[in-house]
């Protein structure tokens, strides 16, 4: 474990991979919810450093990022559902349509683009993948924190949405194996694995 002094010494070890002023002002989301990519990069970097200064180890830091993402996910679900409702869509009450809603509308609202793929692993396991995950694009992780995956924030984001929608699941983030031919700008694909509680699967079976 790291002592408080060590933690203070390492607050600045996680840095942005790019200067936010050098990033194109690409808007994220739409309408009044739009946020420029440089602003998102700066805010997320500050959030990571804030939690890093208060975490004893990498696992604690990832849990803090996941919890932060879950709070954002819950709020995002409500606001995105409301926007979709006003445009004529209805809130999803089945598992697969909900996951497609997360992959498209929620992901676009939060990260400015649709997630790359959604796969079924098993009856109770689904995988959401992003080849250029925004939260990992802007963070440069030093060698002594090499196992850190800031995609924990996106795992929390998905968990928050699922729980708010009434589909409790254990959600985790991990990297795919490096693939120079497929990885964008050297950023490895971030995978979000969702394992649903038995009650969710049983309810889906009853609904046919």
């Amino acid at each position: 474990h790291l002592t408080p002094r060590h933690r203070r010494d390492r607050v600045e070890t996680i840095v942005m991979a790019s200067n936010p002023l050098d990033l194109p002002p690409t808007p994220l989301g739409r309408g009044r919810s739009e946020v420029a990519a440089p602003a998102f990069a700066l805010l997320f970097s500050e959030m990571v450093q804030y939690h890093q200064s208060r975490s004893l180890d990498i696992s604690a830091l990832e849990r803090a990022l996941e919890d932060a993402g879950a709070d954002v996910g819950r709020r995002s679900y409500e606001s995105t559902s409301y926007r979709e409702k006003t445009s004529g869509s209805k809130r999803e009450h089945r598992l697969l349509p909900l996951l497609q809603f997360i992959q498209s509308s929620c992901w676009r609202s939060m990260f400015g683009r649709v997630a790359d793929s959604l796969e079924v692993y098993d009856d109770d396991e689904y995988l959401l993948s992003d080849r250029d995950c925004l939260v990992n694009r802007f963070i440069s992780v030093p060698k002594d924190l090499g196992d850190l995956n800031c995609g924990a924030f996106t795992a929390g984001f998905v968990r928050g949405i699922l729980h708010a929608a009434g589909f409790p699941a254990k959600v985790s983030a991990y990297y795919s194996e490096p693939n120079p031919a497929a990885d964008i700008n050297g950023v490895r694909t971030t995978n979000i694995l969702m394992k649903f509680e038995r009650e969710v699967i049983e309810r889906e079976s009853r609904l046919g």
Side-chain angles (χ1 to χ4, degrees):
H1 294 297
L2 301 176
T3 65
R5 179 180 179 182
H6 286 154
R7 295 203 302 275
R8 287 196 296 271
D9 291 342
R10 292 175 60 178
V11 169
E12 297 182 357
T13 56
I14 292 181
V15 297
M16 295 187 60
S18 303
N19 186 329
L21 298 180
D22 296 332
L23 296 171
T26 306
L28 305 177
R30 60 182 183 175
R32 294 183 179 179
S33 65
E34 286 186 359
V35 177
F40 182 95
L42 180 61
L43 290 172
F44 186 76
S45 177
E46 289 295 321
M47 185 189 71
V48 173
Q49 293 187 42
Y50 171 84
H51 287 298
Q52 184 193 10
S53 68
R54 290 159 176 77
S55 300
L56 291 173
D57 51 33
I58 295 174
S59 296
L61 175 55
E62 289 183 339
R63 286 194 299 271
L65 293 177
E66 183 178 337
D67 289 341
D71 288 338
V72 174
R74 284 190 289 270
R75 290 168 172 78
S76 176
Y77 174 70
E78 294 301 329
S79 62
T80 305
S81 296
Y82 176 77
R83 288 200 299 270
E84 294 288 322
K85 181 179 179 180
T86 58
S87 66
S89 300
K90 63 180 181 179
R91 182 173 297 195
E92 298 296 347
H93 298 286
R94 297 297 302 273
L95 179 55
L96 185 56
L98 174 64
L99 295 179
Q100 293 169 336
F101 174 68
I102 294 173
Q103 180 193 10
S104 56
S105 299
C106 294
W107 216 259
R108 186 186 298 111
S109 176
M110 184 65 190
F111 303 117
R113 58 188 293 272
V114 174
D116 291 294
S117 65
L118 175 65
E119 303 175 48
V120 180
Y121 261 27
D122 204 342
D123 289 342
D124 62 345
E125 291 186 339
Y126 292 77
L127 188 73
L128 186 69
S129 298
D130 191 332
R131 293 194 298 120
D132 189 22
C133 189
L134 191 64
V135 298
N136 284 325
R137 185 197 313 170
F138 295 130
I139 296 296
S140 177
V141 179
K143 291 182 179 180
D144 60 335
L145 294 176
D147 292 334
L148 174 67
N149 185 350
C150 290
F153 177 86
T154 58
F157 176 72
V158 172
R159 175 167 62 87
I161 295 173
L162 292 174
H163 281 247
F167 291 78
K170 295 179 180 178
V171 185
S172 58
Y174 68 93
Y175 289 122
S176 292
E177 292 298 320
N179 183 354
D183 295 344
I184 300 176
N185 299 324
V187 178
R188 294 161 62 184
T189 297
T190 300
N191 299 305
I192 308 299
L193 180 64
M194 299 160 280
K195 185 174 180 61
F196 289 91
E197 301 292 345
R198 179 180 298 178
E199 64 188 80
V200 174
I201 304 304
E202 291 178 348
R203 183 176 64 206
E204 285 293 304
S205 297
R206 289 195 302 270
L207 293 174

